[in-house]
Amino acid sequence: TGYSGSTRMAATSMFKPLLPPALLIVLAGTMMAGFLSTQQRSTSLSSSLIARSSRASFISGPTSVRKGLLSTTAAFGLFGGSDASAVKAQYPIVGDEGIMSQKEHGTNTKPVQLDLRYGCDRKVADKICSFNRHYAEHSGYFRVTKWLSEVDKTKETTYYDSVTGKPLFIAPKGRTFDEFLRESEAHGWPSFRDEEVVWENVRCLRDGECVSVDGTHLGHNLPDRSGNRYCINLVSVAGHPTI
């Protein structure tokens, strides 16, 4: 009330917006949308980089890294994990390279058994089991043996080390024989899963080679979408039990 007319006009002009209110609202909304979009892209990029890094470590990293990542993801349920996933993360059990050191008979202390099951060739078996680290019986070899005619398709079968006679695999477990056979035929060799391995007597080396604890070469772990898949030579697991 004590201001002159000119003073009141000046004071009013100081707080008069430079742009119409409607336009200010539009500009504010545009700026906010741009900010949120930038933040979203940044978050998405970070997540993508983390995911790529994790996948790279899992696929190409050393076994200890792969096992650690599996355990971590299972524990926190990052991939919808459960207690079963956590249990699976502990396999394969990694063995020391010293298992396959040279002994009295190649990587074993003695030759393969004289009369192998399923009519497996003893000469081929001895070479693959004790004097070999990388090669295998030819794909589909089990089809030319007596395996399919002799194996009991109605129950689990134990497969024994062709040298020591120790149990190495028991299959099928958690699936039918037809499912086990279908997978084996698709890959060319008997294909076992984690729960079908007798881990007391089996190890995997860091390069994926699957061996017995006594030095018998068995095959390789070739994981697929379902998990670890142990691709095994029939001649290596055609022994008779010694106990």
Side-chain angles (χ1 to χ4, degrees), residues 5-93:
S6 59
T7 302
R8 286 196 299 270
M9 289 181 62
T12 303
S13 298
M14 290 174 61
F15 298 98
K16 185 176 181 180
L18 299 177
L19 295 173
L23 183 56
L24 284 173
I25 292 174
V26 172
L27 288 175
T30 302
M31 292 174 65
M32 181 59 71
F35 173 78
L36 292 176
S37 177
T38 301
Q39 289 293 96
Q40 186 177 14
R41 286 197 300 273
S42 176
T43 302
S44 177
L45 178 60
S46 298
S47 299
S48 177
L49 290 174
I50 292 173
R52 290 179 184 178
S53 175
S54 297
R55 286 196 297 270
S57 297
F58 177 75
I59 295 171
S60 61
T63 304
S64 58
V65 174
R66 295 199 302 271
K67 290 179 70 179
L69 180 61
L70 274 171
S71 299
T72 301
T73 54
F76 287 95
L78 296 182
F79 298 130
S82 61
D83 290 341
S85 299
V87 171
K88 286 185 177 181
Q90 66 182 305
Y91 299 121
I93 297 178

Side-chain angles (χ1 to χ4, degrees), residues 124 127-129 132-139 141 188-189 217-220 231-236:
V124 172
K127 181 178 180 180
I128 289 178
C129 290
N132 163 64
R133 300 294 302 280
H134 306 290
Y135 298 101
E137 64 197 20
H138 65 76
S139 176
Y141 173 80
W189 290 267
H217 173 83
L218 305 177
H220 286 82
C231 197
I232 304 300
N233 295 287
L234 183 63
V235 296
S236 298

